[in-house]
Amino acid sequence: MLLALADTASGIIAAAPLFARAVVAPPLATDAEAEPVAGSALIAFVAYFALVVAIGLWAARRSSGGMGAFFLAGRSLNKWVVALSAVVSGRSSWLLLGVSGAAYARGVSALWFCVGYIVVEFLLFWDYARRLRRFAEIHDDLTLPDFLASRFPGNARLLRLLVVGLLLVFIPTYVGAQFSAGGKAFEAAFGMSASSGLWITAAIVLGYTVTGGFLAVSLTDMLQAVFMLVALVVLPLAAVISMGGFDALAEGLSALDPSLLDPFAISAVALAGGLAIGLGSPGNPHILVRYMSIDDPSQLRAAALVGTVWNTLMAAGALLIGLAARVAFPTQFLLATGGDPEQAYPVIASLHLAPVVYGLVIASIFAAIMSTADSQLLVAASAVCRDVVQKLLGRGGDERAMVRMSRLVVVALVLVAVPLGLSNNELILDWVLFAWAGLGAALGPTTILALYWKRCTGAGVAAGIALGGGVACWWRYVVKPGMDEPLYELIPGFAAGLLATLIVSLFTRAPAETEAQFKALRGET
């Protein structure tokens, strides 16, 4: 499998320059105000979304049988779907727009925003995911609160309430950021207002998520992973070829500022913050539920290899796009986009790609947006319907009725996320990183300890969730604004959650079932 994967990756890389030459548009003036999109580009864009909607309709009949089918696709997904779905649902618009914008502003040193999550997610796939998947199947856990309640039955109600509350605070914020990114992309690509683009993005995501559930989300994620990878290989190569090759790119960056080529032209605080992004991965449920949905947990290590190759290639492409945009448009670009470097991706695509390919590249932005927003909507809906209605209130015995309720909850969450997206005046990267930090600080250290430490207790996990999430918010809004060089809130939040879980667990009693639970986690029963 590894040789096949390597051959596939090398084939993509080897063929990309030839393909890029074929899709490069005729040379254009370096004016960042893109011409209106050609009809063929719009047709390609619409065709992509027609395919996404078709997948949602196909999956609808297979997702209405019950909660397990709607939220986990009946634990029936193979390693390829799980690997690619986990990767793209974790990246969202912040990779295509945020990381490319960071590379435009910072240069090569923006790579540290990617290194942490690539390494951490490989490790999660390798062992963490296997433990979680085994335990979840034995206890019929469909959600992350389900897992914590099964692991610590004496604190089940408290843990469900804490996690549900956390999800309902941070996930609408996260989804609102994705909708805002969609508005930006529509504005840059089609010349419409950002608010109109936001509403269109929300409507598309809502349509196929409500219709097809987790199966539709995972299958479209796999499709979107292919679109994102191709776009992130073809577009930067097309841009580099148009400016004369990689030597010309390096010379251009050096002429602007030699530090743009230095990966260590970054402060210790910024370096720590970039690497710390990886700490959020074990705390974001829209990634973790992918691990729970695989049909065979023994395949998760193969999925680790697939996911890591995909993560690495996509990160390299996003960084290269930002660097190419910096050389092509050192000042005019920022003036044309209202000072927003996060428009680098769509603007440079409009100048360097043929119309049909440009339409597909713009579709890749929406692929990134949808792959995260749809997953998060399902996570939040499952928290309300499974953890509150079924488990805490003891209602909802009819599985089909619960699926209908889940769909209504998704609609309600979208209606909450849209105003948040409309009110967003921050960079997408900043807003996404805050939501990522809140979830990561609260659930990252607690789930790791729950899976690996026998002395971990329910009281300790509850303390870690409350303090980790609370410190992340306090740091973001109280401490960080007064710092000369702000430290990413995930670092103090994760540390607080970890220490709180450790200390409280040492002074409370572990569940009586711990030994049997750890046998299940290790696959011994």
Side-chain angles (χ1 to χ4, degrees), residues 230-302:
V230 171
L232 286 168
V233 170
V234 170
L235 176 56
L237 288 176
V240 170
I241 288 168
S242 72
M243 66 178 59
F246 285 95
D247 289 342
L249 173 64
E251 290 171 6
L253 290 169
S254 180
L256 288 171
D257 183 352
S259 68
L260 292 172
L261 289 169
D262 183 0
F264 297 102
I266 186 172
S267 69
V269 170
L271 176 62
L275 292 173
I277 291 174
L279 296 177
S281 295
N284 275 263
H286 62 285
I287 297 176
L288 305 186
V289 293
R290 264 67 189 170
Y291 307 151
M292 297 165 67
S293 69
I294 197 166
D295 55 359
D296 180 2
S298 68
Q299 294 298 306
L300 282 163
R301 289 189 173 173

Side-chain angles (χ1 to χ4, degrees), residues 11-22:
I12 291 173
I13 295 169
L18 298 175
F19 184 46
R21 290 188 181 94

Side-chain angles (χ1 to χ4, degrees), residues 455 457-461 463-464 499-509:
R455 278 289 292 116
T457 69
V461 168
L499 288 173
T501 307
L502 289 169
I503 292 170
V504 174
S505 291
L506 290 173
F507 288 93
T508 50
R509 187 182 299 275

Side-chain angles (χ1 to χ4, degrees), residues 131-144:
R131 287 174 173 247
L132 179 62
R133 169 62 175 81
R134 293 183 193 120
F135 190 93
E137 182 175 23
I138 291 171
H139 295 273
D140 193 28
D141 296 334
L142 303 182
T143 66
L144 192 61

Side-chain angles (χ1 to χ4, degrees), residues 38 139 202 319 352 420 435 451:
H139 295 273
L319 292 166
H352 291 290
L420 292 174
L451 288 168

Side-chain angles (χ1 to χ4, degrees), residues 21-49:
R21 290 188 181 94
V23 299
V24 173
L28 298 176
T30 57
D31 183 352
E33 294 187 0
E35 296 294 327
V37 177
S40 54
L42 184 59
I43 290 171
F45 180 79
V46 171
Y48 168 78
F49 282 106

